[in-house]
Amino acid sequence: MKSIAVLGLGKVGALAAQLLVDSDFTVVGVDMNANPEDHGYDVRKIDVTDAAALGALFGDVDAVLSCLPYHLNIGVSDVAHAAGIHYFDLTEDVPTTNHVRKLAETSKGLMAPQCGLAPGFVGIVGANLIEQFDECRSCRMRVGALPQNPTGLMGYAFNWSPEGVVNEYLNDCEVIEGGERKMVSAMEWREKIFIGGLELEAFTTSGGLGTMCETYLGRVANMDYKTMRYPGHFDLMNFFFHELLMREDRQKAGEILINAKPPVDEDIVYVHVAAEGFIDGKLSRKEFVGGYKPLMIAGKSRTAIAWTTAGSVVAVIEMVREGKLPSSGFLKQEDISLSALMETRTGSFYTR
């Protein structure tokens, strides 16, 4: 794998493309609104909903990374499958992942959705903790992408896709509870978490576990994923979506929220993963807790949410190139070694 098309050159996509260039890949960026002069690699204006145009591009590359809104990924994955190339995306959308998984049954290349932060990196961390136990009774995964200096009652800024956030807040969430795999509502099971003395609240959101409930059913009795926010956020968003009925118009809800809380440059990504179980007959608890801030990469300051998301998928792509991951079929994030990921050029950012 030497050449890769990166679809969508927003903050995450543009950074992923640059990281791939820095890791010696030949990159073709695709974005209808991008200025080719702003990037140090080939950039083309192609309609990503045009299967014929995408097919022509995919005939010239070995892989595609989709950094597009989740609802466009099914079409992209179909074209990638037909072209016989590797497919990677960042989606948290469960139906999209199920579609990609079906394609993987007959794919010539690797089909690897959910390669971002959550799902993605957080699942790799969770799997690493689970494997340290002889018997694991619970694994709780939490991620919060937040402004460092919040203002207002909501304490938030939309540094991530508003469509993706709305999707996570409203779609049902898969969990394992008491040994049973089940679906629960989003924005439930609120809890208090402290990281370095900072108080946060966490609640269920969809998609963050990827395929982990299927993988660990019968092995881990309790497993769930929650989003972390500053205190007070939960009540306001619950009011917005349910009492004001904005859940009935997801597009409008996203427009209102991004207008009210635009992105910020000074953000922070908190990761809190905890597993409990028995090691040599003794009950133990293992934790992975981190707070990631913006980094200077390729001469520019990159937001925490951009580099933690782009960094995970590019590290996975590096591992595929190096033969450390399969070259065909379906890739589950929990099958990726955390230590091997952090040994890659891009994965090493997580150790800074």
Side-chain angles (χ1 to χ4, degrees):
M1 180 169 52
K2 297 180 180 179
S3 58
I4 183 166
V6 178
L7 309 188
L9 299 178
K11 287 186 177 181
V12 173
L15 176 55
Q18 183 61 55
L19 290 171
L20 287 164
V21 169
D22 293 344
S23 296
D24 297 323
F25 287 88
T26 299
V27 172
V28 179
V30 175
D31 194 307
M32 291 292 287
N33 299 312
N35 182 357
E37 296 180 359
D38 293 338
H39 305 278
Y41 44 84
D42 183 12
V43 175
R44 304 180 191 178
K45 296 188 177 185
I46 297 174
D47 181 356
V48 296
T49 64
D50 185 337
L54 271 189
L57 171 65
F58 291 175
D60 295 331
V61 297
D62 303 317
V64 57
L65 165 58
S66 176
C67 299
L68 299 168
Y70 73 90
H71 59 84
L72 294 171
N73 285 335
I74 286 179
V76 173
S77 64
D78 284 340
V79 181
H81 176 268
I85 65 174
H86 300 305
Y87 170 86
F88 304 88
D89 74 30
L90 309 172
T91 192
E92 77 289 334
D93 185 62
V94 175
T96 297
T97 297
N98 291 339
H99 180 84
V100 173
R101 186 169 189 170
K102 185 67 176 177
L103 293 176
E105 296 175 2
T106 56
S107 65
K108 294 180 180 179
L110 181 67
M111 307 299 285
Q114 304 181 320
C115 290
L117 175 62
F121 180 73
V122 70
I124 298 170
V125 171
N128 174 265
L129 294 187
I130 290 170
E131 295 307 316
Q132 296 179 39
F133 292 88
D134 300 322
E135 178 186 345
C136 184
R137 71 179 186 182
S138 70
C139 184
R140 315 290 190 182
M141 286 159 272
R142 314 301 186 234
V143 172
L146 298 164
Q148 290 186 44
N149 307 295
T151 59
L153 297 176
M154 190 180 295
Y156 193 62
F158 277 83
N159 277 35
W160 186 248
S161 158
E163 297 94 342
V165 173
V166 170
N167 201 39
E168 293 172 356
Y169 279 33
L170 294 179
N171 289 355
D172 287 346
C173 315
E174 190 174 29
V175 302
I176 300 176
E177 184 182 28
E180 295 184 17
R181 185 180 176 190
K182 60 180 67 174
M183 302 299 291
V184 299
S185 297
M187 301 193 72
E188 299 286 354
W189 295 7
R190 179 165 48 165
E191 67 178 348
K192 185 182 295 186
I193 292 178
F194 290 89
I195 296 180
L198 174 69
E199 179 180 344
L200 299 167
E201 61 184 14
F203 49 89
T204 53
T205 52
S206 71
L209 289 180
T211 56
M212 294 189 74
C213 287
E214 173 190 331
T215 297
Y216 291 105
L217 182 65
R219 294 175 55 191
V220 180
N222 298 281
M223 175 178 289
D224 58 57
Y225 171 82
K226 296 180 182 179
T227 288
M228 294 186 290
R229 298 289 185 249
Y230 293 117
H233 180 94
F234 173 90
D235 288 333
L236 288 170
M237 295 304 290
N238 194 51
F239 173 79
F240 176 75
F241 282 121
H242 299 290
E243 291 200 36
L244 296 185
L245 303 181
M246 290 309 301
R247 67 179 184 273
E248 298 177 3
D249 190 341
R250 296 191 180 197
Q251 181 176 348
K252 186 64 175 178
E255 292 171 357
I256 291 172
L257 291 169
I258 192 69
N259 181 64
K261 294 294 178 181
V264 296
D265 295 327
E266 296 299 318
D267 67 333
I268 187 165
V269 169
Y270 291 109
V271 176
H272 188 294
V273 183
E276 296 180 355
F278 293 90
I279 301 174
D280 295 330
K282 296 181 180 180
L283 184 60
S284 303
R285 178 180 172 92
K286 300 287 187 180
E287 296 181 337
F288 180 106
V289 182
Y292 301 106
K293 293 183 178 181
L295 287 180
M296 289 295 297
I297 299 175
K300 296 181 181 180
S301 178
R302 314 288 183 162
T303 62
I305 186 60
W307 78 256
T308 53
T309 303
S312 184
V313 68
V314 172
V316 169
I317 293 170
E318 289 183 57
M319 292 175 70
V320 174
R321 179 181 61 182
E322 294 164 7
K324 296 180 179 179
L325 289 172
S327 59
S328 62
F330 183 80
L331 179 67
K332 293 182 176 181
Q333 297 299 302
E334 55 269 27
D335 291 336
I336 299 169
S337 163
L338 177 62
S339 59
L341 181 138
M342 288 186 168
E343 288 171 359
T344 65
R345 179 191 179 280
T346 308
S348 67
F349 291 148
Y350 288 96
T351 65
R352 292 188 182 182

